[in-house]
Amino acid sequence: MSAPSSLRDLYIDTSSAWAFVPPTIPQLATASEPFSSGASYQWSNRPSHNPIFDLSPSLDLSEVSGINVTNLFKALVASALLHYSSTAIAMPWEVGKLLLQVQWVPRDAGEPEEPELVDDNDDVLSDSSEDDSYFADPQAGPARRAAPWPTDEQGYVMRRSVLEEGTRPEYIIPVGSANGVWGMMKRIGSFRGEGYLALWKGLLTSCITEILSSTAQPLIHNFLQSLFFPSMSPFHQPPLILPVASHLITGFLLSPLDLVRTRLIVQSYTSRYRTYTGPLDALSRILRDEGGLKGIYFHPHLFIPTVIDNALRPIVSLALPSLLAGYLGMQISEETNPWAWAVMELGGSCLGLLITLPFETIRRRLQVQARGTAKPLKGCVELRPAPYNGIVDAFWHILTEERSDLPIKRIKKRRGSQASLKGKERTTSSNDDDAGEGEGWFRHSGIGQLYRGLGMRLGASAIVFCLAFFSVEEGDGGWAEI
């Protein structure tokens, strides 16, 4: 019987078998030199890549983990600069849209009527009336002059029309002189009391609001998910109530900043007529004169529009694309067909603007109203003299007392004799009737006032769709094996 073979040749050291770094092999002959580099390869850590201000964290595991104050500070500064620059780019369009939304354009805003001519009876009391009658024409009628302008209790001339140049305050942009956001932007730049720098009113407040909103909303969303759905998998889509509630809570908490931003944009840019000197002054004066924190958060003219506006936006943006796809009979999702889903999102955003934009307009108009002991705001556009009594009252008065055909065409009148003046009045009234019949209900309805800035928002939605379309084309079609 032969002796058993030795197992010494089959023994493998466990430390070398599970080693990820192969041992260094000594260099052999010249023929094996081309393969020596591959045989002596060492697994190295990925080099750190810092694309923006050297801010990405280092991937070297040998480094001591901890908070680098310098990198943290640089990251915060870089994020603030990016938010500030992006907000500054979009701010002129936002200013033009907001001023169009709060501008009051009454339906009877036309060319002011000519002053009525009355008989001049002062000649009877004049001492030289007998001498002047010798040179007067015996066939001429009595002398007539314009009636005096109506005045208030303090003796100031009262405005009879918002188009009167003589009684319009110098800090108010002429009503109806701009059509669309771009037209309002050009009008602000060319107006003497504003200028091109006025297109960036409220920039700092808008930037702070955007940063706080983008930071607080995900945190509130994660907190609500961990509180009410702790066992939910990250791969499952959360219910619609979570994003709606997170956006609603975030918008409610930041509603004072949104109020301050609206007041800063609407007020006159001229220092002589400026109500607030800055965001801190505006916030302190609003808290002092308009009911404190309770008034700034829970006043019905502020609380109800805030809840409706911040709840409708996420509902529309999240629910309408799937509803539109189901209505068209298409079973698609963002993962299976991203192109078709982008089209559904574009259609949903366009349809959603028809729902959300009127409530946003009403909210802006209620924000510019003074409450409590505060003085009325001196806006750079025409504001309604009488305040609204709520959402329904504002909606009804905008529809019934305002007009939508901007810009307003003005007809210049010339003074003449009494007969010619009557003829011109008849001609002008007939022309106005014909123009009213030709323009239709848009001239006699304020429905267009509820949708100021619609074209700009549709253009922004189209730009977002194009960016998403090109990003889908350039991205990978699926998972790739490493």
Side-chain angles (χ1 to χ4, degrees):
M1 184 175 179
S2 61
S5 58
S6 175
L7 299 177
R8 188 182 302 276
D9 298 336
L10 300 179
Y11 174 74
I12 300 176
D13 188 5
T14 57
S15 61
S16 62
W18 294 98
F20 289 95
V21 181
T24 305
I25 301 177
Q27 294 186 359
L28 301 177
T30 308
S32 63
E33 287 183 359
F35 304 95
S36 61
S37 60
S40 61
Y41 176 77
Q42 298 288 334
W43 291 95
S44 61
N45 294 325
R46 185 183 303 176
S48 61
H49 179 63
N50 302 320
I52 302 177
F53 299 111
D54 195 24
L55 298 178
S56 62
S58 175
L59 299 177
D60 189 3
L61 300 180
S62 63
E63 293 184 0
V64 180
S65 60
I67 298 177
N68 192 330
V69 180
T70 304
N71 289 341
L72 178 61
F73 178 75
K74 292 165 67 175
L76 293 177
V77 171
S79 177
L81 289 177
L82 291 176
H83 277 88
Y84 191 84
S85 59
S86 60
T87 307
I89 293 174
M91 199 64 198
W93 283 269
E94 182 66 22
V95 171
K97 176 179 72 71
L98 196 147
L99 292 181
L100 283 176
Q101 288 177 334
V102 302
Q103 181 179 227
W104 181 61
V105 187
R107 186 174 299 177
D108 57 351
E111 201 62 30
E113 298 179 358
E114 294 291 336
E116 183 182 358
L117 299 179
V118 297
D119 295 336
D120 191 2
N121 298 325
D122 295 340
D123 294 340
V124 179
L125 303 177
S126 176
D127 296 337
S128 59
S129 58
E130 297 180 358
D131 298 335
D132 293 339
S133 62
Y134 179 79
F135 301 98
D137 187 5
Q139 298 180 356
R144 303 179 67 86
R145 59 179 177 84
W149 292 81
T151 57
D152 57 7
E153 297 177 355
Q154 299 179 354
Y156 292 99
V157 177
M158 299 175 57
R159 298 182 69 186
R160 297 183 299 176
S161 173
V162 295
L163 295 181
E164 285 182 348
E165 293 293 335
T167 57
R168 176 178 58 84
E170 60 179 354
Y171 57 87
I172 294 182
I173 299 175
V175 65
S177 59
N179 180 23
V181 177
W182 181 251
M184 178 58 76
M185 291 167 57
K186 294 190 297 182
R187 195 69 182 90
I188 293 172
S190 61
F191 188 63
R192 183 181 60 180
E194 295 295 315
Y196 285 101
L197 291 179
L199 294 173
W200 283 272
K201 292 189 294 185
L203 174 59
L204 180 60
T205 309
S206 300
C207 181
I208 294 175
T209 305
E210 291 293 333
I211 293 176
L212 294 179
S213 177
S214 60
T215 304
Q217 191 273 328
L219 295 177
I220 296 176
H221 182 273
N222 294 333
F223 173 75
L224 294 177
Q225 183 174 350
S226 62
L227 183 63
F228 296 102
F229 303 95
S231 60
M232 179 180 294
S233 173
F235 300 100
H236 293 166
Q237 185 176 2
L240 184 62
I241 189 63
L242 280 183
V244 172
S246 62
H247 281 88
L248 178 58
I249 296 175
T250 305
F252 172 74
L253 294 177
L254 299 179
S255 58
L257 290 180
D258 189 73
L259 173 63
V260 170
R261 168 182 169 272
T262 302
R263 297 276 183 95
L264 292 177
I265 292 176
V266 175
Q267 73 170 355
S268 176
Y269 192 69
T270 307
S271 59
R272 180 182 176 184
Y273 304 103
R274 194 177 300 171
T275 306
Y276 310 111
T277 58
L280 294 179
D281 177 68
L283 184 60
S284 62
R285 295 182 64 175
I286 292 173
L287 291 174
R288 183 191 63 191
D289 300 333
E290 300 186 21
L293 288 176
K294 181 179 179 181
I296 204 173
Y297 273 112
F298 295 101
H299 194 281
H301 294 174
L302 299 176
F303 176 72
I304 299 177
T306 298
V307 171
I308 295 177
D309 189 24
N310 289 282
L312 274 180
R313 292 184 183 182
I315 291 176
V316 166
S317 61
L318 296 176
L320 273 186
S322 57
L323 292 178
L324 186 60
Y327 179 77
L328 298 177
M330 303 172 61
Q331 300 295 331
I332 61 175
S333 64
E334 187 176 3
E335 293 78 11
T336 58
N337 199 337
W339 291 354
W341 184 257
V343 175
M344 293 297 103
E345 285 186 336
L346 176 62
S349 63
C350 295
L351 292 177
L353 289 175
L354 301 178
I355 303 174
T356 60
L357 204 54
F359 290 98
E360 180 184 347
T361 301
I362 294 174
R363 184 188 180 191
R364 300 305 177 200
R365 296 213 177 188
L366 292 176
Q367 283 178 338
V368 299
Q369 292 184 175
R371 283 165 287 273
T373 60
K375 296 181 180 180
L377 184 68
K378 294 183 178 180
C380 61
V381 293
E382 286 287 348
L383 303 179
R384 190 171 186 263
Y388 299 107
N389 294 322
I391 295 179
V392 178
D393 182 71
F395 183 79
W396 174 255
H397 281 91
I398 290 174
L399 288 179
T400 57
E401 74 178 16
E402 297 193 29
R403 56 189 295 180
S404 305
D405 55 333
L406 298 183
I408 299 177
K409 299 179 181 179
R410 305 186 182 187
I411 303 175
K412 295 183 179 180
K413 300 178 182 180
R414 295 180 180 178
R415 295 183 179 180
S417 60
Q418 182 69 10
S420 60
L421 182 61
K422 293 181 179 180
K424 289 182 180 179
E425 288 178 353
R426 297 193 190 99
T427 306
T428 305
S429 61
S430 62
N431 292 337
D432 291 341
D433 295 340
D434 296 340
E437 294 176 358
E439 293 171 356
W441 64 273
F442 205 65
R443 162 66 176 84
H444 301 280
S445 173
I447 187 67
Q449 290 292 101
L450 295 172
Y451 290 96
R452 294 300 174 194
L454 178 62
M456 184 201 72
R457 300 288 288 273
L458 292 177
S461 301
I463 292 175
V464 172
F465 168 75
C466 294
L467 293 177
F469 179 79
F470 287 116
S471 65
V472 169
E473 276 192 346
E474 295 176 0
D476 296 333
W479 292 98
E481 292 293 335
I482 300 178

